[in-house]
Amino acid sequence: VGQILRIALIGFFFNCQPSEAYLTPYLRRVKGISEDDLDSKVWPFDTYGAFAFLLPVGLLADFIGFRPVIFGGLICREATRAILVFGNGVTWMSVMQLTYAAASAANTIYFAYPYQVIPTQYFTFATVIILAAYHFGNLISCIIGQLLVSYVTNLDLTVLFYISWGFTTCALLSFAFLPKPKYDAPMSIFKMLLTEPRNVVSTLHSMYSCRLILGWSIWWLFAYGAHNIIMNYYGAMFEDVWTKNGHKESVKWGKYGNYGTLGAIAEVAMTVGSLVPLAIGSLIDRYWWLWTSVPSFIVAALYTVSSLPVVQKSVFAVYSANILGFC
């Protein structure tokens, strides 16, 4: 348990970013970057950067080990925070999104690392705790950010970014307590291509011969990508609604809106979702396909419906009318 908690502590700290929910208003109002520049010149560097870094980061982990890659991801997070505080202009903010993309790519190595540290019988418990800590960090940070914005008079958003930098540094310092690996990771396909190319086809066939696993993998590929794009741009969409409808300031939410509350609501769902395998216990081993696929397809359907223009306009109309003010 101690080893699991030491790994989870890093994820909690690097995802505890009170400034994250307020990134869009910070870049637009404090850094003076226009909406068009954000959408066309800044955000795409994260979207395409994550795609460009993902495979190289995996290969790097194969050849130099998981720990150096996790450490490199933490350094990229430090660079992201420094640029956000001291950088100015579209070019520097684009670089910031690249360093953030590199750090996000290293997340896959971080989440896979526990399986090199703990025995197989604790895999489910470790996965639940580490994912829950990761999302709980963001939940706490959203609440902190919202409280500061709502109750601190004349708050400069830069303060939130200094606080986030502090949490990021705590994650970097926590790396010193990261347990060392005890078990070897399975050989990746890319490493197999270099060392045992004849076994690649048979290995892929054994992995995806089950139609359920193949279908799940294809669904995950598109669903995960869609989720990342939505989470990347939703802040810009709400900022557009907030400013264009005259909501410059309110008594309840302050001049920067209720972005923290919106983020907290999303993270509550994600935190609860990460705890589900632990809550249902052994049932997931017998009926894993039911517990995973049915809720996932329901969420996918909601995402699809919510992406329709008429639904988006209705949601924004409701938000603009302050009907969501109870959140």
PDB file of all heavy atoms in Angstrom, residues 50-84:
ATOM      1  N   ALA A  50       0.573  16.188 -28.717  1.00  0.00           N
ATOM      2  CA  ALA A  50       0.335  14.950 -27.982  1.00  0.00           C
ATOM      3  C   ALA A  50       0.428  13.751 -28.916  1.00  0.00           C
ATOM      4  O   ALA A  50       0.978  12.693 -28.558  1.00  0.00           O
ATOM      5  CB  ALA A  50      -1.037  14.996 -27.307  1.00  0.00           C
ATOM      6  N   PHE A  51      -0.101  13.905 -30.137  1.00  0.00           N
ATOM      7  CA  PHE A  51      -0.028  12.829 -31.126  1.00  0.00           C
ATOM      8  C   PHE A  51       1.418  12.562 -31.531  1.00  0.00           C
ATOM      9  O   PHE A  51       1.852  11.413 -31.670  1.00  0.00           O
ATOM     10  CB  PHE A  51      -0.863  13.212 -32.353  1.00  0.00           C
ATOM     11  CG  PHE A  51      -0.791  12.208 -33.472  1.00  0.00           C
ATOM     12  CD1 PHE A  51      -1.512  11.025 -33.403  1.00  0.00           C
ATOM     13  CD2 PHE A  51      -0.017  12.455 -34.597  1.00  0.00           C
ATOM     14  CE1 PHE A  51      -1.448  10.098 -34.431  1.00  0.00           C
ATOM     15  CE2 PHE A  51       0.044  11.539 -35.628  1.00  0.00           C
ATOM     16  CZ  PHE A  51      -0.670  10.354 -35.546  1.00  0.00           C
ATOM     17  N   ALA A  52       2.197  13.627 -31.702  1.00  0.00           N
ATOM     18  CA  ALA A  52       3.583  13.488 -32.142  1.00  0.00           C
ATOM     19  C   ALA A  52       4.484  12.903 -31.065  1.00  0.00           C
ATOM     20  O   ALA A  52       5.425  12.162 -31.359  1.00  0.00           O
ATOM     21  CB  ALA A  52       4.122  14.854 -32.587  1.00  0.00           C
ATOM     22  N   PHE A  53       4.198  13.199 -29.794  1.00  0.00           N
ATOM     23  CA  PHE A  53       5.068  12.754 -28.703  1.00  0.00           C
ATOM     24  C   PHE A  53       4.747  11.356 -28.200  1.00  0.00           C
ATOM     25  O   PHE A  53       5.610  10.700 -27.595  1.00  0.00           O
ATOM     26  CB  PHE A  53       4.967  13.726 -27.515  1.00  0.00           C
ATOM     27  CG  PHE A  53       5.715  15.010 -27.714  1.00  0.00           C
ATOM     28  CD1 PHE A  53       5.064  16.232 -27.606  1.00  0.00           C
ATOM     29  CD2 PHE A  53       7.066  15.010 -27.999  1.00  0.00           C
ATOM     30  CE1 PHE A  53       5.748  17.425 -27.780  1.00  0.00           C
ATOM     31  CE2 PHE A  53       7.761  16.193 -28.173  1.00  0.00           C
ATOM     32  CZ  PHE A  53       7.098  17.402 -28.065  1.00  0.00           C
ATOM     33  N   LEU A  54       3.531  10.875 -28.414  1.00  0.00           N
ATOM     34  CA  LEU A  54       3.074   9.665 -27.739  1.00  0.00           C
ATOM     35  C   LEU A  54       3.945   8.449 -28.060  1.00  0.00           C
ATOM     36  O   LEU A  54       4.429   7.759 -27.159  1.00  0.00           O
ATOM     37  CB  LEU A  54       1.615   9.391 -28.107  1.00  0.00           C
ATOM     38  CG  LEU A  54       0.889   8.376 -27.225  1.00  0.00           C
ATOM     39  CD1 LEU A  54       0.912   8.821 -25.773  1.00  0.00           C
ATOM     40  CD2 LEU A  54      -0.549   8.193 -27.697  1.00  0.00           C
ATOM     41  N   LEU A  55       4.162   8.174 -29.344  1.00  0.00           N
ATOM     42  CA  LEU A  55       4.961   7.004 -29.715  1.00  0.00           C
ATOM     43  C   LEU A  55       6.436   7.167 -29.352  1.00  0.00           C
ATOM     44  O   LEU A  55       7.043   6.225 -28.804  1.00  0.00           O
ATOM     45  CB  LEU A  55       4.796   6.710 -31.212  1.00  0.00           C
ATOM     46  CG  LEU A  55       3.410   6.213 -31.631  1.00  0.00           C
ATOM     47  CD1 LEU A  55       3.375   5.933 -33.129  1.00  0.00           C
ATOM     48  CD2 LEU A  55       3.019   4.956 -30.854  1.00  0.00           C
ATOM     49  N   PRO A  56       7.068   8.310 -29.625  1.00  0.00           N
ATOM     50  CA  PRO A  56       8.471   8.468 -29.196  1.00  0.00           C
ATOM     51  C   PRO A  56       8.665   8.304 -27.695  1.00  0.00           C
ATOM     52  O   PRO A  56       9.675   7.744 -27.254  1.00  0.00           O
ATOM     53  CB  PRO A  56       8.813   9.896 -29.657  1.00  0.00           C
ATOM     54  CG  PRO A  56       7.915  10.143 -30.813  1.00  0.00           C
ATOM     55  CD  PRO A  56       6.632   9.442 -30.464  1.00  0.00           C
ATOM     56  N   VAL A  57       7.701   8.788 -26.903  1.00  0.00           N
ATOM     57  CA  VAL A  57       7.817   8.642 -25.448  1.00  0.00           C
ATOM     58  C   VAL A  57       7.772   7.167 -25.055  1.00  0.00           C
ATOM     59  O   VAL A  57       8.529   6.708 -24.190  1.00  0.00           O
ATOM     60  CB  VAL A  57       6.698   9.438 -24.739  1.00  0.00           C
ATOM     61  CG1 VAL A  57       6.530   8.967 -23.304  1.00  0.00           C
ATOM     62  CG2 VAL A  57       7.018  10.920 -24.757  1.00  0.00           C
ATOM     63  N   GLY A  58       6.900   6.402 -25.713  1.00  0.00           N
ATOM     64  CA  GLY A  58       6.837   4.971 -25.443  1.00  0.00           C
ATOM     65  C   GLY A  58       8.127   4.256 -25.816  1.00  0.00           C
ATOM     66  O   GLY A  58       8.619   3.391 -25.074  1.00  0.00           O
ATOM     67  N   LEU A  59       8.685   4.609 -26.964  1.00  0.00           N
ATOM     68  CA  LEU A  59       9.961   4.021 -27.381  1.00  0.00           C
ATOM     69  C   LEU A  59      11.080   4.391 -26.415  1.00  0.00           C
ATOM     70  O   LEU A  59      11.938   3.566 -26.083  1.00  0.00           O
ATOM     71  CB  LEU A  59      10.313   4.485 -28.800  1.00  0.00           C
ATOM     72  CG  LEU A  59       9.481   3.889 -29.937  1.00  0.00           C
ATOM     73  CD1 LEU A  59       9.801   4.582 -31.253  1.00  0.00           C
ATOM     74  CD2 LEU A  59       9.764   2.390 -30.057  1.00  0.00           C
ATOM     75  N   LEU A  60      11.067   5.632 -25.972  1.00  0.00           N
ATOM     76  CA  LEU A  60      12.088   6.090 -25.028  1.00  0.00           C
ATOM     77  C   LEU A  60      12.018   5.297 -23.728  1.00  0.00           C
ATOM     78  O   LEU A  60      13.049   4.920 -23.148  1.00  0.00           O
ATOM     79  CB  LEU A  60      11.902   7.581 -24.767  1.00  0.00           C
ATOM     80  CG  LEU A  60      13.087   8.362 -24.199  1.00  0.00           C
ATOM     81  CD1 LEU A  60      14.269   8.298 -25.146  1.00  0.00           C
ATOM     82  CD2 LEU A  60      12.696   9.807 -23.935  1.00  0.00           C
ATOM     83  N   ALA A  61      10.794   5.038 -23.270  1.00  0.00           N
ATOM     84  CA  ALA A  61      10.623   4.251 -22.042  1.00  0.00           C
ATOM     85  C   ALA A  61      11.154   2.839 -22.221  1.00  0.00           C
ATOM     86  O   ALA A  61      11.690   2.239 -21.276  1.00  0.00           O
ATOM     87  CB  ALA A  61       9.151   4.227 -21.647  1.00  0.00           C
ATOM     88  N   ASP A  62      11.013   2.290 -23.432  1.00  0.00           N
ATOM     89  CA  ASP A  62      11.533   0.955 -23.708  1.00  0.00           C
ATOM     90  C   ASP A  62      13.044   0.884 -23.559  1.00  0.00           C
ATOM     91  O   ASP A  62      13.587  -0.102 -23.051  1.00  0.00           O
ATOM     92  CB  ASP A  62      11.165   0.528 -25.137  1.00  0.00           C
ATOM     93  CG  ASP A  62       9.827  -0.194 -25.181  1.00  0.00           C
ATOM     94  OD1 ASP A  62       9.361  -0.646 -24.122  1.00  0.00           O
ATOM     95  OD2 ASP A  62       9.250  -0.295 -26.275  1.00  0.00           O
ATOM     96  N   PHE A  63      13.732   1.911 -24.003  1.00  0.00           N
ATOM     97  CA  PHE A  63      15.183   1.848 -24.104  1.00  0.00           C
ATOM     98  C   PHE A  63      15.924   2.468 -22.919  1.00  0.00           C
ATOM     99  O   PHE A  63      17.029   2.046 -22.594  1.00  0.00           O
ATOM    100  CB  PHE A  63      15.636   2.510 -25.410  1.00  0.00           C
ATOM    101  CG  PHE A  63      15.289   1.698 -26.633  1.00  0.00           C
ATOM    102  CD1 PHE A  63      14.190   2.018 -27.409  1.00  0.00           C
ATOM    103  CD2 PHE A  63      16.047   0.597 -26.982  1.00  0.00           C
ATOM    104  CE1 PHE A  63      13.856   1.260 -28.525  1.00  0.00           C
ATOM    105  CE2 PHE A  63      15.729  -0.174 -28.089  1.00  0.00           C
ATOM    106  CZ  PHE A  63      14.627   0.151 -28.870  1.00  0.00           C
ATOM    107  N   ILE A  64      15.334   3.463 -22.255  1.00  0.00           N
ATOM    108  CA  ILE A  64      16.042   4.069 -21.123  1.00  0.00           C
ATOM    109  C   ILE A  64      15.336   3.811 -19.794  1.00  0.00           C
ATOM    110  O   ILE A  64      15.861   4.161 -18.741  1.00  0.00           O
ATOM    111  CB  ILE A  64      16.241   5.588 -21.331  1.00  0.00           C
ATOM    112  CG1 ILE A  64      14.899   6.330 -21.236  1.00  0.00           C
ATOM    113  CG2 ILE A  64      16.935   5.882 -22.642  1.00  0.00           C
ATOM    114  CD1 ILE A  64      15.056   7.842 -21.245  1.00  0.00           C
ATOM    115  N   GLY A  65      14.132   3.236 -19.850  1.00  0.00           N
ATOM    116  CA  GLY A  65      13.406   2.932 -18.625  1.00  0.00           C
ATOM    117  C   GLY A  65      12.262   3.894 -18.361  1.00  0.00           C
ATOM    118  O   GLY A  65      12.221   5.005 -18.891  1.00  0.00           O
ATOM    119  N   PHE A  66      11.334   3.470 -17.506  1.00  0.00           N
ATOM    120  CA  PHE A  66      10.143   4.261 -17.212  1.00  0.00           C
ATOM    121  C   PHE A  66      10.458   5.461 -16.319  1.00  0.00           C
ATOM    122  O   PHE A  66       9.902   6.547 -16.495  1.00  0.00           O
ATOM    123  CB  PHE A  66       9.087   3.381 -16.537  1.00  0.00           C
ATOM    124  CG  PHE A  66       8.318   2.515 -17.486  1.00  0.00           C
ATOM    125  CD1 PHE A  66       8.942   1.902 -18.566  1.00  0.00           C
ATOM    126  CD2 PHE A  66       6.960   2.298 -17.310  1.00  0.00           C
ATOM    127  CE1 PHE A  66       8.241   1.087 -19.450  1.00  0.00           C
ATOM    128  CE2 PHE A  66       6.244   1.496 -18.177  1.00  0.00           C
ATOM    129  CZ  PHE A  66       6.889   0.892 -19.252  1.00  0.00           C
ATOM    130  N   ARG A  67      11.326   5.274 -15.343  1.00  0.00           N
ATOM    131  CA  ARG A  67      11.602   6.342 -14.384  1.00  0.00           C
ATOM    132  C   ARG A  67      12.164   7.608 -15.049  1.00  0.00           C
ATOM    133  O   ARG A  67      11.699   8.720 -14.755  1.00  0.00           O
ATOM    134  CB  ARG A  67      12.557   5.841 -13.296  1.00  0.00           C
ATOM    135  CG  ARG A  67      11.895   4.917 -12.278  1.00  0.00           C
ATOM    136  CD  ARG A  67      12.940   4.314 -11.351  1.00  0.00           C
ATOM    137  NE  ARG A  67      13.608   5.339 -10.569  1.00  0.00           N
ATOM    138  CZ  ARG A  67      13.203   5.757  -9.375  1.00  0.00           C
ATOM    139  NH1 ARG A  67      12.112   5.232  -8.827  1.00  0.00           N
ATOM    140  NH2 ARG A  67      13.884   6.668  -8.718  1.00  0.00           N
ATOM    141  N   PRO A  68      13.162   7.509 -15.947  1.00  0.00           N
ATOM    142  CA  PRO A  68      13.664   8.721 -16.602  1.00  0.00           C
ATOM    143  C   PRO A  68      12.597   9.445 -17.420  1.00  0.00           C
ATOM    144  O   PRO A  68      12.588  10.678 -17.477  1.00  0.00           O
ATOM    145  CB  PRO A  68      14.793   8.201 -17.501  1.00  0.00           C
ATOM    146  CG  PRO A  68      15.219   6.920 -16.877  1.00  0.00           C
ATOM    147  CD  PRO A  68      13.981   6.329 -16.309  1.00  0.00           C
ATOM    148  N   VAL A  69      11.677   8.678 -18.031  1.00  0.00           N
ATOM    149  CA  VAL A  69      10.616   9.309 -18.821  1.00  0.00           C
ATOM    150  C   VAL A  69       9.636  10.040 -17.912  1.00  0.00           C
ATOM    151  O   VAL A  69       9.189  11.150 -18.226  1.00  0.00           O
ATOM    152  CB  VAL A  69       9.892   8.258 -19.685  1.00  0.00           C
ATOM    153  CG1 VAL A  69       8.670   8.872 -20.368  1.00  0.00           C
ATOM    154  CG2 VAL A  69      10.841   7.682 -20.731  1.00  0.00           C
ATOM    155  N   ILE A  70       9.297   9.427 -16.775  1.00  0.00           N
ATOM    156  CA  ILE A  70       8.414  10.100 -15.819  1.00  0.00           C
ATOM    157  C   ILE A  70       9.069  11.381 -15.316  1.00  0.00           C
ATOM    158  O   ILE A  70       8.421  12.441 -15.214  1.00  0.00           O
ATOM    159  CB  ILE A  70       8.088   9.165 -14.641  1.00  0.00           C
ATOM    160  CG1 ILE A  70       7.257   7.971 -15.131  1.00  0.00           C
ATOM    161  CG2 ILE A  70       7.335   9.914 -13.542  1.00  0.00           C
ATOM    162  CD1 ILE A  70       7.050   6.897 -14.078  1.00  0.00           C
ATOM    163  N   PHE A  71      10.360  11.312 -15.017  1.00  0.00           N
ATOM    164  CA  PHE A  71      11.083  12.501 -14.572  1.00  0.00           C
ATOM    165  C   PHE A  71      11.096  13.570 -15.661  1.00  0.00           C
ATOM    166  O   PHE A  71      10.897  14.762 -15.376  1.00  0.00           O
ATOM    167  CB  PHE A  71      12.520  12.125 -14.192  1.00  0.00           C
ATOM    168  CG  PHE A  71      13.331  13.274 -13.668  1.00  0.00           C
ATOM    169  CD1 PHE A  71      13.149  13.732 -12.370  1.00  0.00           C
ATOM    170  CD2 PHE A  71      14.266  13.913 -14.476  1.00  0.00           C
ATOM    171  CE1 PHE A  71      13.892  14.801 -11.885  1.00  0.00           C
ATOM    172  CE2 PHE A  71      15.008  14.969 -13.999  1.00  0.00           C
ATOM    173  CZ  PHE A  71      14.826  15.429 -12.704  1.00  0.00           C
ATOM    174  N   GLY A  72      11.311  13.153 -16.910  1.00  0.00           N
ATOM    175  CA  GLY A  72      11.282  14.109 -18.019  1.00  0.00           C
ATOM    176  C   GLY A  72       9.928  14.775 -18.158  1.00  0.00           C
ATOM    177  O   GLY A  72       9.835  15.972 -18.462  1.00  0.00           O
ATOM    178  N   GLY A  73       8.840  14.008 -17.936  1.00  0.00           N
ATOM    179  CA  GLY A  73       7.504  14.588 -17.981  1.00  0.00           C
ATOM    180  C   GLY A  73       7.309  15.640 -16.908  1.00  0.00           C
ATOM    181  O   GLY A  73       6.682  16.688 -17.146  1.00  0.00           O
ATOM    182  N   LEU A  74       7.850  15.402 -15.721  1.00  0.00           N
ATOM    183  CA  LEU A  74       7.756  16.381 -14.635  1.00  0.00           C
ATOM    184  C   LEU A  74       8.553  17.648 -14.964  1.00  0.00           C
ATOM    185  O   LEU A  74       8.121  18.764 -14.637  1.00  0.00           O
ATOM    186  CB  LEU A  74       8.257  15.768 -13.329  1.00  0.00           C
ATOM    187  CG  LEU A  74       7.406  14.603 -12.777  1.00  0.00           C
ATOM    188  CD1 LEU A  74       8.091  13.961 -11.581  1.00  0.00           C
ATOM    189  CD2 LEU A  74       6.010  15.084 -12.398  1.00  0.00           C
ATOM    190  N   ILE A  75       9.704  17.492 -15.610  1.00  0.00           N
ATOM    191  CA  ILE A  75      10.489  18.657 -16.031  1.00  0.00           C
ATOM    192  C   ILE A  75       9.706  19.469 -17.070  1.00  0.00           C
ATOM    193  O   ILE A  75       9.706  20.716 -17.038  1.00  0.00           O
ATOM    194  CB  ILE A  75      11.850  18.220 -16.599  1.00  0.00           C
ATOM    195  CG1 ILE A  75      12.707  17.595 -15.495  1.00  0.00           C
ATOM    196  CG2 ILE A  75      12.575  19.400 -17.239  1.00  0.00           C
ATOM    197  CD1 ILE A  75      13.047  18.532 -14.361  1.00  0.00           C
ATOM    198  N   CYS A  76       9.036  18.772 -17.980  1.00  0.00           N
ATOM    199  CA  CYS A  76       8.207  19.470 -18.977  1.00  0.00           C
ATOM    200  C   CYS A  76       7.075  20.245 -18.305  1.00  0.00           C
ATOM    201  O   CYS A  76       6.702  21.333 -18.756  1.00  0.00           O
ATOM    202  CB  CYS A  76       7.636  18.477 -19.985  1.00  0.00           C
ATOM    203  SG  CYS A  76       8.849  17.821 -21.153  1.00  0.00           S
ATOM    204  N   ARG A  77       6.541  19.703 -17.228  1.00  0.00           N
ATOM    205  CA  ARG A  77       5.495  20.417 -16.487  1.00  0.00           C
ATOM    206  C   ARG A  77       6.058  21.665 -15.820  1.00  0.00           C
ATOM    207  O   ARG A  77       5.380  22.703 -15.758  1.00  0.00           O
ATOM    208  CB  ARG A  77       4.854  19.488 -15.448  1.00  0.00           C
ATOM    209  CG  ARG A  77       4.032  18.368 -16.072  1.00  0.00           C
ATOM    210  CD  ARG A  77       3.358  17.500 -15.032  1.00  0.00           C
ATOM    211  NE  ARG A  77       2.606  16.439 -15.674  1.00  0.00           N
ATOM    212  CZ  ARG A  77       1.379  16.580 -16.165  1.00  0.00           C
ATOM    213  NH1 ARG A  77       0.762  17.754 -16.056  1.00  0.00           N
ATOM    214  NH2 ARG A  77       0.759  15.573 -16.753  1.00  0.00           N
ATOM    215  N   GLU A  78       7.271  21.570 -15.311  1.00  0.00           N
ATOM    216  CA  GLU A  78       7.920  22.755 -14.737  1.00  0.00           C
ATOM    217  C   GLU A  78       8.099  23.828 -15.810  1.00  0.00           C
ATOM    218  O   GLU A  78       7.854  25.024 -15.561  1.00  0.00           O
ATOM    219  CB  GLU A  78       9.279  22.370 -14.148  1.00  0.00           C
ATOM    220  CG  GLU A  78       9.212  21.547 -12.884  1.00  0.00           C
ATOM    221  CD  GLU A  78       8.802  22.368 -11.672  1.00  0.00           C
ATOM    222  OE1 GLU A  78       9.125  23.569 -11.613  1.00  0.00           O
ATOM    223  OE2 GLU A  78       8.148  21.803 -10.778  1.00  0.00           O
ATOM    224  N   ALA A  79       8.531  23.419 -16.996  1.00  0.00           N
ATOM    225  CA  ALA A  79       8.712  24.367 -18.094  1.00  0.00           C
ATOM    226  C   ALA A  79       7.385  25.006 -18.492  1.00  0.00           C
ATOM    227  O   ALA A  79       7.314  26.219 -18.772  1.00  0.00           O
ATOM    228  CB  ALA A  79       9.339  23.652 -19.293  1.00  0.00           C
ATOM    229  N   THR A  80       6.324  24.202 -18.496  1.00  0.00           N
ATOM    230  CA  THR A  80       4.995  24.722 -18.837  1.00  0.00           C
ATOM    231  C   THR A  80       4.582  25.818 -17.862  1.00  0.00           C
ATOM    232  O   THR A  80       4.094  26.889 -18.273  1.00  0.00           O
ATOM    233  CB  THR A  80       3.957  23.580 -18.800  1.00  0.00           C
ATOM    234  OG1 THR A  80       4.329  22.573 -19.739  1.00  0.00           O
ATOM    235  CG2 THR A  80       2.566  24.109 -19.138  1.00  0.00           C
ATOM    236  N   ARG A  81       4.785  25.582 -16.569  1.00  0.00           N
ATOM    237  CA  ARG A  81       4.400  26.564 -15.558  1.00  0.00           C
ATOM    238  C   ARG A  81       5.234  27.832 -15.657  1.00  0.00           C
ATOM    239  O   ARG A  81       4.720  28.944 -15.500  1.00  0.00           O
ATOM    240  CB  ARG A  81       4.565  25.947 -14.165  1.00  0.00           C
ATOM    241  CG  ARG A  81       3.590  24.829 -13.875  1.00  0.00           C
ATOM    242  CD  ARG A  81       2.166  25.335 -13.867  1.00  0.00           C
ATOM    243  NE  ARG A  81       1.261  24.415 -14.546  1.00  0.00           N
ATOM    244  CZ  ARG A  81       0.012  24.702 -14.856  1.00  0.00           C
ATOM    245  NH1 ARG A  81      -0.488  25.902 -14.589  1.00  0.00           N
ATOM    246  NH2 ARG A  81      -0.747  23.835 -15.480  1.00  0.00           N
ATOM    247  N   ALA A  82       6.529  27.686 -15.920  1.00  0.00           N
ATOM    248  CA  ALA A  82       7.395  28.857 -16.040  1.00  0.00           C
ATOM    249  C   ALA A  82       6.989  29.719 -17.233  1.00  0.00           C
ATOM    250  O   ALA A  82       6.936  30.958 -17.148  1.00  0.00           O
ATOM    251  CB  ALA A  82       8.856  28.423 -16.178  1.00  0.00           C
ATOM    252  N   ILE A  83       6.672  29.085 -18.352  1.00  0.00           N
ATOM    253  CA  ILE A  83       6.274  29.841 -19.546  1.00  0.00           C
ATOM    254  C   ILE A  83       4.947  30.549 -19.314  1.00  0.00           C
ATOM    255  O   ILE A  83       4.749  31.696 -19.731  1.00  0.00           O
ATOM    256  CB  ILE A  83       6.194  28.906 -20.769  1.00  0.00           C
ATOM    257  CG1 ILE A  83       7.584  28.354 -21.104  1.00  0.00           C
ATOM    258  CG2 ILE A  83       5.614  29.642 -21.978  1.00  0.00           C
ATOM    259  CD1 ILE A  83       7.567  27.283 -22.173  1.00  0.00           C
ATOM    260  N   LEU A  84       4.015  29.872 -18.643  1.00  0.00           N
ATOM    261  CA  LEU A  84       2.716  30.488 -18.378  1.00  0.00           C
ATOM    262  C   LEU A  84       2.842  31.748 -17.531  1.00  0.00           C
ATOM    263  O   LEU A  84       2.124  32.730 -17.735  1.00  0.00           O
ATOM    264  CB  LEU A  84       1.793  29.489 -17.680  1.00  0.00           C
ATOM    265  CG  LEU A  84       1.077  28.479 -18.582  1.00  0.00           C
ATOM    266  CD1 LEU A  84       0.443  27.369 -17.762  1.00  0.00           C
ATOM    267  CD2 LEU A  84       0.029  29.177 -19.437  1.00  0.00           C
TER     268      LEU A  84
END
